[in-house]
Amino acid sequence: DYVISFNDQLELLLDGSNSTLLQLRVDLSGNVNIPDLGSLSLVNLTLSEAQRKIQKSVESSYIGTQSYLSVKKPSLRKISIIGLVNEPGTYLVNPFISISEAISYASGLVDGASLRSIQVKSTDGTTKEIDLYNFLIFGDKSSDINLKNGDTVIVKATSNIIEIEGSIHRPMKYEYKETDKFEDLIAFALGFKELANTNNISTDF
């Protein structure tokens, strides 16, 4: 769901006893000014959350009126990417950028970078830790989250690397966590081949 940011241009349709189409801009305070309704803070709300907030205000002012909010022109986002990337820094990026795309902006990872414990710090002080293997290996797009304005992406180092080779579908080096099980590691390599001898598995540390 789209997250509203500063300088976004929004469109609000009021349909009912007071039908009108309004052009709104999120100002630098994070607010929009809606005629007859006043100022509402929408910054960092998802589009759905902003829609519900506006509808609640509309219902208290106009009987039988529905509101429909859309994004007419999203603003650019300013994000920072630091840590083990080739070109750390602050970038102006498109409003739908994800973590993996942000790493590309910074010209990719350097050796020893972790893909499984990437931190995203937001301006409100919250921090999320992201495991990009869910996206890169298993195709779970929900783990490759979209970034908000002001987010800082921190790519940390890791020495937890294991090489999986033999009769598996994708032999290569993988990053592991201490909580990973043997089955998880085999899943990273996309499983055994049909003729693999699963009774003859060895480890070399």
Side-chain angles (χ1 to χ4, degrees), residues 2-183:
Y2 183 81
V3 177
I4 293 174
S5 186
F6 303 102
N7 288 321
D8 279 352
Q9 294 181 26
L10 310 177
E11 196 168 73
L12 177 64
L13 172 64
L14 299 179
D15 184 23
S17 58
N18 182 34
S19 295
T20 186
L21 182 64
L22 302 173
Q23 307 298 320
L24 309 173
R25 185 182 70 84
V26 182
D27 64 25
L28 295 181
S29 298
N31 302 327
V32 294
N33 188 38
I34 305 175
D36 299 328
L37 297 180
S39 181
L40 291 177
S41 178
L42 300 183
V43 73
N44 289 333
L45 297 181
T46 66
L47 188 61
S48 299
E49 291 169 340
Q51 164 73 42
R52 290 192 292 270
K53 186 172 186 177
I54 291 175
Q55 181 60 36
K56 186 176 180 180
S57 182
V58 166
E59 289 173 351
S60 66
S61 300
Y62 305 118
I63 297 175
T65 298
Q66 292 293 315
S67 63
Y68 304 94
L69 183 67
S70 59
V71 180
K72 184 176 182 180
K73 185 179 180 181
S75 63
L76 294 176
R77 303 290 194 257
K78 181 184 285 187
I79 64 167
S80 297
I81 313 167
I82 62 176
L84 295 189
V85 291
N86 284 299
E87 295 182 9
T90 299
Y91 297 86
L92 276 177
V93 297
N94 76 73
F96 303 102
I97 191 169
S98 67
I99 293 176
S100 63
E101 292 167 335
I103 291 172
S104 295
Y105 264 90
S107 299
L109 304 174
V110 302
D111 289 344
S114 172
L115 282 169
R116 305 198 61 196
S117 56
I118 295 175
Q119 288 187 338
V120 178
K121 288 190 175 182
S122 299
T123 54
D124 61 5
T126 59
T127 300
K128 296 179 181 178
E129 186 162 288
I130 305 299
D131 184 348
L132 270 188
Y133 266 27
N134 291 328
F135 168 59
L136 296 174
I137 293 181
F138 303 114
D140 181 2
K141 182 64 177 175
S142 65
S143 64
D144 190 23
I145 62 174
N146 287 338
L147 299 172
K148 303 190 299 296
N149 191 56
D151 279 353
T152 298
V153 178
I154 304 170
V155 180
K156 299 189 294 183
T158 184
S159 58
N160 290 351
I161 302 296
I162 187 171
E163 185 170 6
I164 306 176
E165 56 186 13
S167 193
I168 36 89
H169 286 285
R170 189 164 58 187
M172 61 183 296
K173 292 181 179 180
Y174 294 92
E175 180 183 351
Y176 67 89
K177 290 185 174 182
E178 302 296 340
T179 55
D180 285 338
K181 299 177 181 178
F182 173 77
E183 292 81 5

Side-chain angles (χ1 to χ4, degrees), residues 187-200:
F188 296 160
L190 301 183
F192 294 110
K193 291 184 177 179
E194 185 177 355
L195 299 179
N197 182 0
T198 57
N199 294 317
N200 186 21

